[in-house]
Amino acid sequence: MTAEQDDESEVLKGLFEEVMKMVRQKQIKVETIIHRSIEQDVISHDSFMRIRNMLDDYGKKKQWV
């Protein structure tokens, strides 16, 4: 992994924690976030897959899956 990827991973982790905080506080739904991101062409397919994998791992850690 390159330094750029490490930096991107750290940013994604921070954003992920903020999003999960908002979801837990019921300020926003995950479906809304994904829908808006795809609608506005904000994320690439690779980024979407990374986010999905992070959510899967988080769900397993919390024993939701």
Side-chain angles (χ1 to χ4, degrees):
M1 198 178 287
T2 67
E4 184 178 315
Q5 288 174 325
D6 286 342
D7 290 344
E8 183 182 84
S9 290
E10 288 303 313
V11 169
L12 282 175
K13 285 178 187 176
L15 290 172
F16 178 76
E17 289 302 321
E18 284 299 312
V19 168
M20 290 310 298
K21 179 180 163 186
M22 291 172 65
V23 169
R24 282 192 299 273
Q25 293 173 352
K26 299 185 184 204
Q27 294 175 359
I28 195 164
K29 293 181 179 180
V30 173
E31 294 88 353
T32 303
I33 296 167
I34 293 170
H35 179 73
R36 286 184 186 167
S37 297
I38 292 170
E39 192 176 78
Q40 296 175 8
D41 201 25
V42 172
I43 60 174
S44 67
H45 180 71
D46 290 341
S47 294
F48 171 76
M49 293 307 293
R50 288 179 71 187
I51 292 168
R52 180 177 171 204
N53 290 338
M54 288 174 73
L55 287 170
D56 285 345
D57 291 344
Y58 191 83
K60 288 175 186 171
K61 179 178 157 187
K62 295 291 185 176
Q63 298 179 342
W64 295 340
V65 187

